[in-house]
């Protein structure tokens, strides 16, 4: 099954500040945002995506710590994850 998207998720308590930094300096647009998560699209063809997630959200996958050289994981999006 082909990938629809693949992007890093960086775990940080400053996810809103990261959103603002990427928007200001790289022209990133918010694709999805919640109180604990923000997904950004960077300009390009195709656009590139990056996400930032709060470390204290209960749905965070096991393992990622706040980013300090670790605390990063990759998300792979496909059309039917259950089938994969």
């Amino acid at each position: 099954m082909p990938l629809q998207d693949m992007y890093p998720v960086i775990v940080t308590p400053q996810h809103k500040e990261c959103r603002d930094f990427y928007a200001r300096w790289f022209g990133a647009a918010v694709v999805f945002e919640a109180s604990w998560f923000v997904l950004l699209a960077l300009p390009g063809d195709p656009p590139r995506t990056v996400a930032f997630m709060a470390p204290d959200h209960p749905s965070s996958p096991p393992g990622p710590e706040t980013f300090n050289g670790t605390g990063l994981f990759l998300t792979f999006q496909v059309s039917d994850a259950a089938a994969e």
Side-chain angles (χ1 to χ4, degrees):
M1 182 174 293
L3 286 175
Q4 292 179 320
D5 200 0
M6 179 181 80
Y7 53 89
V9 179
I10 300 166
V11 181
T12 176
Q14 289 87 25
H15 56 284
K16 292 180 181 179
E17 291 86 346
C18 291
R19 173 202 61 205
D20 296 344
F21 177 86
Y22 275 72
R24 178 176 180 188
W25 295 105
F26 298 108
V30 174
V31 175
F32 174 80
E33 186 168 14
S35 61
W36 57 276
F37 181 87
V38 62
L39 176 65
L40 302 172
L42 297 151
D45 186 25
R48 305 293 185 223
T49 48
V50 61
F52 299 94
M53 182 177 77
D56 58 352
H57 192 272
S59 74
S60 66
E65 305 297 331
T66 300
F67 187 76
N68 63 359
T70 61
L72 179 135
F73 60 94
L74 293 176
T75 295
F76 296 88
Q77 285 185 304
V78 295
S79 61
D80 187 351
E84 288 299 310

